[in-house]
Amino acid sequence: MGLLQRLKYTIEADLNHFFDKKEEKNPISMLNQYIREAEKQTEDTGKYLERQGQLKQKLEKEYEQANEMFNKRQAQVDLAEASAEQDLIDFATEEKNAYAARMTTLQNSIDQVTNELFSLERKYEEMKHKIKDMKVRQLQLMGKENVVRAHTQMDRILDPESNGKQNERLDTFESMEEYINRLGTKIEKEHEVTSMEQRLATLEKEKNNF
């Protein structure tokens, strides 16, 4: 099982699971929380990548050291053979073979770690792209939510009967229009009454003058 597969969950699987949960009351809030968790997980995954890269560097350094010692022992074998000292020949040969074996083991490890690191880097990039996709989805949902809220507010004002709310506080265009009409009618009637009173008072005054 690869390194990323051992994480708590994969970004794509949980994203699909999240959007299947239609019963959530506040999808925007849930998505915001999910993105934060995904970003934290991606950050943690980046640390695994960094550690894997450091391991590769250490293996390569060990290989360089083993290669240097192999070349050194090879030169010593040649020197010992030239001097015909068998014990030195045997020692230098054994050392040379030990470093050769170590180099083979290290090279195999380096190849394996390199392949694993490349695979991890690809999946890491996929995770970052997935988060970007989620943020785009977040903006889309926020836009839809904003439109829904705007329509709801406008419908509440323009069509109060659709939501069954009373408009005692003049919170609709219709009720405000009715109120203005009633007020205008009342003012007109009061003005008419006042005018009549003034005319009657004028007639009474004229009569008294005669």
Side-chain angles (χ1 to χ4, degrees):
M1 182 178 292
L3 181 61
L4 289 182
Q5 284 73 20
R6 292 197 297 268
L7 295 175
K8 183 179 180 181
Y9 52 81
T10 63
I11 297 295
E12 185 171 2
D14 270 16
L15 180 62
N16 293 333
H17 176 68
F18 169 79
F19 285 116
D20 286 341
K21 296 175 65 178
K22 298 180 180 179
E23 73 278 7
E24 295 295 346
K25 295 182 178 180
N26 194 341
I28 298 296
S29 177
M30 291 293 295
L31 182 58
N32 292 342
Q33 179 181 353
Y34 184 84
I35 290 177
R36 287 194 297 269
E37 293 176 354
E39 287 178 329
K40 179 61 168 61
Q41 184 186 12
T42 302
E43 180 182 350
D44 292 340
T45 303
K47 295 178 181 178
Y48 284 105
L49 283 174
E50 183 179 357
R51 194 176 306 167
Q52 193 77 354
Q54 292 173 350
L55 176 60
K56 181 175 179 289
Q57 291 178 355
K58 290 180 179 180
L59 288 171
E60 290 173 341
K61 185 176 181 180
E62 289 289 337
Y63 180 87
E64 291 176 1
Q65 293 176 351
N67 186 50
E68 289 177 1
M69 291 303 299
F70 173 82
N71 292 332
K72 180 178 179 179
R73 295 307 186 193
Q74 179 63 60
Q76 290 175 342
V77 168
D78 295 339
L79 183 60
E81 288 177 346
S83 63
E85 298 186 32
Q86 190 60 44
D87 55 342
L88 292 179
I89 295 174
D90 294 340
F91 173 77
T93 300
E94 291 177 1
E95 285 286 299
K96 182 192 71 171
N97 293 338
Y99 284 113
R102 184 175 301 170
M103 288 171 60
T104 300
T105 300
L106 287 169
Q107 187 60 58
N108 291 336
S109 297
I110 291 172
D111 292 341
Q112 181 179 356
V113 169
T114 300
N115 292 334
E116 291 174 347
L117 182 60
F118 178 72
S119 177
L120 290 176
E121 288 174 342
R122 289 187 60 185
K123 291 186 177 181
Y124 181 61
E125 291 301 318
E126 290 177 7
M127 292 174 71
K128 292 193 292 185
H129 282 299
K130 184 62 64 176
I131 290 178
K132 287 291 186 182
D133 292 340
M134 284 191 294
K135 288 186 175 181
V136 171
R137 180 61 172 161
Q138 178 189 38
L139 294 175
Q140 292 175 334
L141 290 179
M142 290 174 66
K144 289 182 179 180
E145 181 189 43
N146 186 63
V147 170
V148 170
R149 289 181 181 274
H151 278 300
T152 301
Q153 182 70 11
M154 289 187 288
D155 290 343
R156 186 179 69 85
I157 295 176
L158 296 172
D159 188 15
E161 295 182 359
S162 64
N163 51 38
K165 292 184 178 181
Q166 298 298 324
N167 303 296
E168 298 176 355
R169 297 183 180 180
L170 305 180
D171 57 351
T172 69
F173 292 151
E174 181 180 354
S175 61
M176 284 188 284
E177 183 179 6
E178 292 176 357
Y179 173 77
I180 291 173
N181 289 336
R182 290 196 304 270
L183 183 60
T185 301
K186 180 181 178 181
I187 292 174
E188 289 177 358
K189 288 183 177 179
E190 290 178 350
H191 177 72
E192 182 180 355
V193 170
T194 301
S195 298
M196 291 297 182
E197 291 288 347
Q198 288 177 350
R199 290 175 62 188
L200 288 172
T202 300
L203 290 176
E204 290 177 349
K205 183 177 180 180
E206 290 176 352
K207 180 179 179 182
N208 291 334
N209 289 336
F210 289 108

